[in-house]
Amino acid sequence: MALLRIRHYPEPVLKKVATPVTEFDDSLRQLAHDMAETMYAAPGIGLAAPQVGISKRLAIIDCSARDGESQLLFLVNPEIIDREGDCCEEEGCLSIPEYYAKVERSAKVKVRFQNLDEQTHVIEVEGLLAVACQHEIDHLDGILFVDHLSPLKRSLFRKKWKKIQEHMTEQM
Ligand SMILES: [Zn+2]
């Protein structure tokens, strides 16, 4: 197990459309487990492979972390195949630390994905898990949550992000 370096906005790998996973081998399992360790250490509730510099369609989610009991989901080649309703919750991202904003999403989604053994599953989720699935699948398409903000909010974000980055550099 190893901690991976989380890439921050605006690193180019975060803007790339990730390629589908075709090899379900030990290196995929290793990557998935290293990502889990990295996510729990951060701490965060979701992490996509592009966030650790690997442009592959793999994401992990564990929304139960704060309750104690772990419910780790490994999503390989995930796709949203149905959506319903609207919601607007505050989101953050390990690639954009210290910045939070409300994002409009679907309230319920149906997600088709493969697990690490190449078996296909379909889950229907709502609430925080639905938001996390949409956020992580966006990462695989090179989309960050700030890309969903209005032009005005996005320009405010860029100003604030400059300050956050300056602050982070000072701390190093
Ligand atoms: Zn994110």
Side-chain angles (χ1 to χ4, degrees):
M1 296 279 245
L3 286 183
L4 306 168
R5 184 169 70 85
I6 295 176
R7 307 301 200 264
H8 289 165
Y9 172 89
E11 284 203 42
V13 67
L14 296 170
K15 298 299 288 174
K16 272 174 71 175
V17 176
T19 52
V21 171
T22 51
E23 304 282 327
F24 291 75
D25 54 9
D26 283 345
S27 74
L28 179 70
R29 272 183 283 276
Q30 181 71 50
L31 171 63
H33 286 101
D34 287 344
M35 281 171 57
E37 200 183 20
T38 305
M39 176 185 78
Y40 289 127
I45 60 168
L47 188 66
Q51 293 183 275
V52 293
I54 308 218
S55 198
K56 279 192 184 169
R57 303 190 79 81
L58 164 68
I60 59 166
I61 293 175
D62 187 350
C63 287
S64 61
R66 270 172 291 186
D67 306 317
E69 208 180 313
S70 135
Q71 273 184 344
L72 185 55
L73 272 176
F74 292 105
L75 305 175
V76 184
N77 301 324
E79 284 176 86
I80 292 174
I81 53 173
D82 203 5
R83 43 176 89 237
E84 203 185 308
D86 302 297
C87 70
C88 188
E89 298 294 334
E90 195 169 73
E91 294 183 28
C93 180
L94 293 177
S95 294
I96 311 175
E98 296 176 54
Y99 184 78
Y100 304 90
K102 286 199 164 192
V103 179
E104 281 176 34
R105 303 274 190 191
S106 301
K108 276 189 192 177
V109 288
K110 200 185 262 189
V111 183
R112 182 168 57 208
F113 64 98
Q114 288 167 293
N115 65 11
L116 296 175
D117 297 316
E118 211 177 340
Q119 290 159 323
T120 301
H121 293 268
V122 175
I123 50 170
E124 271 188 81
V125 291
E126 56 186 326
L128 181 59
L129 195 49
V131 171
C133 283
Q134 293 169 83
H135 179 119
E136 298 311 326
I137 293 171
D138 266 359
H139 273 301
L140 306 181
D141 292 321
I143 299 166
L144 298 170
F145 81 96
V146 291
D147 294 326
H148 291 288
L149 303 177
S150 66
L152 174 65
K153 277 192 180 162
R154 218 168 335 162
S155 74
L156 290 173
F157 154 70
R158 278 194 282 262
K159 276 182 204 147
K160 196 167 175 197
W161 181 246
K162 261 191 176 168
K163 285 187 189 150
I164 293 172
Q165 273 188 313
E166 281 162 18
H167 182 67
M168 285 195 295
T169 319
E170 278 165 26
Q171 284 180 327
M172 277 196 256

